[in-house]
């Protein structure tokens, strides 16, 4: 299938990290008919603690369910960045929530970095909660691992019907943002603003 | 009376007579409570096929094994949760929990208060002999102060539970106390409780001549019965906070609580039906061939 | 008998192991669950609480695991299929009622999503350290059946199997997940109801006067009834005769307890499920179960790349222990390698059944995460040398 | 003919004396005879006084005695509560 098949999504509890991973796994396995295994790590905190999920995509059944060196790392918090960025495979893709993650001392150096102000976009759409779906759309556009339609269908199937429209809008916004930035290529670390407290 | 056929003892059809004589000591009152129980069943004309009795462990725990009903002798303290499962799975059953004070209020105390809180439609008969009898006379949570037990050789100082007070606070709709001396009142009270919907509770003080009384020089079973006769006061509606027992003081008996609260299964069905509308399917048991009865294909999203 | 379509969500789903086990229970005909919240198992009953009212089922959250594990048995005698779900500390509290279910021959299912222990241990992290507890945790002699899924799909499939075994042998059956399998999300295919085989409860056809509650039928298993059908049954955890009446004598104990054992052990070949791969001609056989079997597979693949003749035996049924297959393989190989997420439990059984005919090497792990495949690979290489 | 009679299953009796003590019309006394377990079962010393109220049956913890009315059709009067 793809050479980039191990994905980690990380952030803090409450950002929808797990749902994001579910959408990716569901799109690949249920909609596209391949295989996906999603596992998650969480601490005892209900909210705010470190949270990460891993998805392994494959065209044959997945055996070892854990990701040690992901090909794609999606991070939505500084803590998650610091913890997981060093594990990224050389040449891997790093997707960040650019208002919440400050890139520094990135290694390996050949990492391709793409940023999106997912929380701000989500707020503009109407609900901060959907930042994870914005992020998922962005992931779809940048990586091209899973078709836009499959991801969109998985979003549709994974959210309550009353929030379907909102989530699809969030997905499309993230995806379109990704397409635009894909053209302009990966970014240099210096292009990112420092994290500041926002009202 | 020669030619007239002698009628049967009314208790006989309720007994597994092949298991008689029972294990209870001479002068023990548990058998007396069983008489009252059977009279109450006769009076209330209950469908005995649909009656199940559940006991825990202990002297009173043996009642289930002697009654010719669907009967379950469960583990120590767990008669009430077993009965809860039985009742929920098969709501047409009338489920009676028959057990002792140690079983229901020490090891099983948590289950008792929660079943009362939920107001599960169970009828709990607690034979209170103030001690752990089957294991040899150890202190129970009901043992009054200044009583010698095998684990309180110098006398008890642990405060005891006031059972009606506790059970009322937990939510029971019917609470009464009698002694084995009050056989007619007890039978009547049981029959009355069976008619009520919800969690009902009757405490029956009963002699334990072998362990409780002998160690405390309180005579035999008959002495206990005479003592009950002498010190009992019937006070229907007495505030349960005022009916605590002591070693030799007054015994307040009577019906203390008779109130209405929504019963668990009915509440569950009504509430879920209201929330789910036509999607709600009432619980059902397995069909005679051992399978689920068929139904319409359920179409809902299984997404998390 | 086929599954009741009412409970079966036919189709492809992206489900975690806990949710898949719940769907398996519903497909198997379970219409009652009692539980008490405990990580990492709670998702099973959370889903059942959501699904039950739409399929004619009941969920009740009890005050503790002692209650949950006996409430389900009351429900079974009330005439439904029932299960409970727990993890480490809750499982410890349930031990007495495992014995009660075994003694009273109450068919029921326990789903245990194993986490690290002892005590509160690692609530959110995996282990496989209840494997001996499930077999020996209650007092006295008894047999149970325990199954170990290694994927959400198997959580679905084996939970159905668990209910089927429980009805067939009238025994408590345990689905032994671990935190990884319980929380791992994968594709789960739920077949159409008519393709799911369900073991019905074997209600007696006899009239009350001819029926004895514990009179074994040809397969050593007595038929069931439910309360309210006019049989006036007596069920007790005491040693009892065929009527169910207490009979606390050595001869009765001998007859009863030996039957409780033999009804399982005499059928072990039908109950013991396993997956055997490249065992013939192998020098080393890796014996594993649950999540560890998937980790071990990576080590097995790596060993094969290095030219080692290594076979794989995956235990799907852990109890009764598949003695025969182990003892047949033992004389043909240089050694067994047994990785598990504990400091050595099922490996003792492997060693026992190997009977000194070959080496048995444990690859133990205190739990909290899965093995590094390297550690299993090293053991394979060492044994193959 | 007295209004009632008692029936006694002597082998079940454990001689607690409840029936003797609480018989409202004092029909019963423990006999000097033994049953096979060595207990003295009750016997009717004043059978003519028996009303058939069955209070003995209600009290007997061993299901060994009970009372019944000789004329089943006699109007049933309210039994006085045992006090």
């Amino acid at each position: 299938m793809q050479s980039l098949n191990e994905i980690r999504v990380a952030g803090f509890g409450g950002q929808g990290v797990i749902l994001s991973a579910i959408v990716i796994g569901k799109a690949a396995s249920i909609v596209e008919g391949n295989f996906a295994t999603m596992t998650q790590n969480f601490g005892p905190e209900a909210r705010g603690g470190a949270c990460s999920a891993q998805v392994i995509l494959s065209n044959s059944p997945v055996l070892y369910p854990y990701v040690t060196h992901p090909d794609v790392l999606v991070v939505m918090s500084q803590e998650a960045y610091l913890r997981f960025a060093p594990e990224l495979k050389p040449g891997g893709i790093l997707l960040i929530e650019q208002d919440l993650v400050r890139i520094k001392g990135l290694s390996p150096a050949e990492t391709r970095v793409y940023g999106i102000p997912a929380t701000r976009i989500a707020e503009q759409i109407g609900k901060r909660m959907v930042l994870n779906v914005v992020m998922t759309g962005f992931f779809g556009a940048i990586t091209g691992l899973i078709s836009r339609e499959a991801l969109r269908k998985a979003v549709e199937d994974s959210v309550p019907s009353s929030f379907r429209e909102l989530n699809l809008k969030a997905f499309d916004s993230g995806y379109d943002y990704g397409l635009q930035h894909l053209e302009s290529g990966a970014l240099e670390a210096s292009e990112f603003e420092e994290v500041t407290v926002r009202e | 009376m020669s030619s007239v056929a002698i009628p049967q003892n009314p208790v006989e059809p309720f007994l597994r007579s092949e298991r008689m004589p029972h294990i209870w000591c001479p002068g023990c009152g548990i058998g007396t409570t069983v008489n009252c129980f059977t009279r109450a069943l006769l009076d209330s004309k209950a469908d005995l096929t649909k009656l199940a009795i559940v006991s825990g462990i202990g002297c009173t725990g043996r009642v289930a094994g002697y009654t010719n009903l669907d009967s379950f002798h469960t583990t120590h303290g767990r008669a009430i949760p077993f009965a809860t499962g039985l009742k929920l799975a098969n709501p047409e059953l009338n489920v009676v929990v028959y057990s002792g004070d140690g079983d229901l209020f020490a090891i099983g105390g948590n289950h008792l208060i929660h079943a009362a809180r939920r107001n599960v439609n169970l009828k709990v008969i607690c034979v209170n002999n103030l001690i752990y009898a089957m294991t040899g006379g150890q202190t129970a949570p009901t043992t009054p102060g200044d009583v010698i037990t095998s684990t309180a050789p110098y006398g008890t100082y642990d405060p005891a539970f006031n059972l009606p007070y506790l059970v009322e606070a937990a939510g029971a709709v019917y609470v009464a106390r009698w002694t084995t001396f009050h056989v007619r009142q007890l039978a009547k009270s049981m029959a009355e409780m069976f008619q009520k919907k919800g969690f009902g509770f009757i405490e029956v003080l009963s002699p334990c001549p072998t362990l409780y009384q002998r160690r405390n020089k309180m005579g035999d079973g008959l002495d206990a019965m005479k003592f009950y006769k002498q010190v009992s006061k019937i006070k229907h509606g007495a505030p349960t906070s005022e009916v605590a027992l002591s070693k030799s003081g007054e015994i307040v008996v009577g019906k203390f609580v008779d109130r209405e609260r929504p019963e668990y299964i009915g509440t569950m069905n009504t509430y879920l039906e209201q929330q789910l509308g036509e999607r709600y399917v009432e619980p059902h048991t397995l069909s005679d061939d051992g399978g689920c009865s068929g139904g319409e294909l359920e179409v809902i999203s299984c997404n998390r | 008998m086929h599954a009741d379509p009412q409970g079966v969500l036919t189709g492809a789903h992206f489900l975690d192991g806990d949710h898949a086990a719940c769907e398996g229970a519903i497909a198997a005909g379970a219409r009652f669950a009692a539980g008490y919240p405990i990580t990492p198992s709670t998702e099973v009953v959370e889903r059942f609480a959501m699904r039950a009212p739409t399929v004619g089922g009941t969920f009740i959250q009890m005050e503790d695991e002692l209650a949950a594990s006996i409430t389900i048995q009351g429900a079974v005698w009330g005439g439904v299929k029932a299960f409970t779900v727990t993890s480490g500390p809750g499982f410890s509290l349930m031990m007495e009622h495992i014995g009660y279910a075994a003694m009273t021959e109450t068919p029921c299912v326990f789903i245990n999503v194993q986490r690290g222990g002892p005590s509160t241990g690692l609530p959110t992290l995996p282990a496989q350290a209840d494997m001996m507890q499930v077999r020996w945790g209650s007092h006295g002699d008894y047999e149970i059946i325990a199954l170990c899924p290694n994927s959400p799909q198997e959580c679905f499939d084996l939970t159905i199997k668990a209910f089927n075994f429980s009805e067939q042998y009238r025994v408590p059956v345990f689905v032994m997940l671990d935190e990884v399998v319980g929380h791992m999300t994968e594709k789960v295919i739920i077949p159409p109801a008519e393709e799911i085989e369900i073991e019905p409860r074997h209600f007696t056809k006899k009239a009350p006067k001819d029926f004895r509650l514990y009179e074994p039928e040809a397969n050593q298993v007595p038929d069931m009834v439910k309360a309210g059908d006019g049989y006036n049954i007596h069920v007790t955890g005491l040693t009892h005769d065929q009527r169910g009446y207490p009979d606390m004598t050595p001869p009765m104990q001998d007859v009863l307890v030996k039957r409780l054992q033999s009804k399982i052990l005499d059928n072990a070949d039908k109950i013991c499920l396993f997956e055997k791969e490249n065992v013939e001609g192998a020098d080393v056989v890796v014996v594993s179960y649950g999540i560890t079997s998937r980790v071990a597979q990576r080590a097995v693949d790596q060993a094969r790349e290095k030219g080692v003749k290594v076979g794989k035996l995956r235990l799907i049924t852990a109890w009764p222990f598949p003695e025969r297959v182990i003892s047949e393989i033992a004389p043909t190989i240089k050694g067994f390698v047994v990785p598990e997420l504990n400091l050595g439990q099922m490996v003792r059984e492997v060693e026992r059944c190997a009977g000194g005919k070959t080496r048995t090497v444990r690859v133990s792990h205190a739990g909290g995460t899965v093995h590094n495949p390297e550690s299993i690979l090293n053991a394979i290489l060492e044994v193959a040398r | 003919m007295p209004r009632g009679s008692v029936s006694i299953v002597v082998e079940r009796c454990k001689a607690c004396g409840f029936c003797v003590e609480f018989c409202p019309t004092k029909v019963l006394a423990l006999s000097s005879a033994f049953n096979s377990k060595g207990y003295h079962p009750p016997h009717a010393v004043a059978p003519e006084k028996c009303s058939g109220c069955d209070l003995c049956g209600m009290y007997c913890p061993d299901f060994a005695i009970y009372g019944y009315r000789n004329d089943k059709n006699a109007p049933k009067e309210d039994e006085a509560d045992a006090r």
Side-chain angles (χ1 to χ4, degrees), chain B residues 222, chain D residues 4-10 13 15-32 40-61 64-68:
Chain B
L222 185 55
Chain D
S5 301
V6 288
S7 174
I8 300 166
V9 185
V10 293
C13 177
C16 66
F18 293 4
C19 56
V20 174
E21 175 72 21
F22 299 118
C23 173
T25 52
K26 301 292 166 208
V27 172
L28 301 162
L30 293 184
S31 78
S32 57
H40 294 290
H43 65 146
V45 289
E48 70 286 354
K49 294 185 190 164
C50 182
S51 70
C53 72
D54 190 34
L55 207 55
C56 53
M58 293 284 280
Y59 276 113
C60 179
I65 187 171
Y66 62 102
Y68 56 93

Side-chain angles (χ1 to χ4, degrees), chain B residues 148-168:
Chain B
I148 306 293
T149 74
S150 74
T151 47
Y154 309 110
T156 48
Y157 43 86
D158 280 28
F161 268 143
N162 170 353
L163 305 187
Y165 190 33
L166 173 65
V167 175
E168 179 184 12

Side-chain angles (χ1 to χ4, degrees), chain A residues 6 21-26 28-30 33-44 55 61-66 68, chain C residues 12-14 16 39-40 43 124-126 179-180 183-188 291 294-295 297-298 301 368-373:
Chain A
E6 298 194 352
I22 284 176
V23 166
I24 294 167
K26 189 184 279 187
S29 69
I30 307 297
N34 286 301
F35 294 88
T37 295
M38 197 279 283
T39 56
Q40 49 191 299
N41 303 90
F42 57 93
V55 193
V62 176
L63 295 171
Y64 189 74
Y66 280 174
T68 42
Chain C
H13 307 273
F14 198 57
D16 74 17
T39 305
E43 289 90 336
T124 61
L125 298 172
E179 187 275 335
V180 183
H183 281 158
M184 170 196 288
T185 307
E186 287 185 332
K187 179 158 54 183
V188 174
I291 189 57
R294 291 174 64 157
V295 180
Q297 184 68 47
R298 181 174 271 198
D301 292 345
T369 181
V370 296
H371 287 77
N372 182 345

Side-chain angles (χ1 to χ4, degrees), chain B residues 51-113:
Chain B
L51 189 87
I53 177 167
V54 184
S55 288
I57 297 295
C59 292
T60 311
R62 293 303 184 88
V63 168
Y66 293 132
T67 50
N68 194 22
L69 302 161
D70 282 329
S71 55
F72 300 91
H73 182 221
T74 66
T75 52
H76 194 23
R78 321 302 168 197
I80 284 180
F82 185 99
T84 301
L86 192 62
K87 179 72 185 170
L88 257 63
N90 200 339
E92 66 172 334
L93 294 174
N94 294 306
V95 182
V96 175
V97 172
Y98 214 122
S99 215
D101 48 306
D103 185 75
L104 287 168
F105 284 88
I107 187 166
N110 197 30
H111 310 309
L112 184 131
I113 59 173

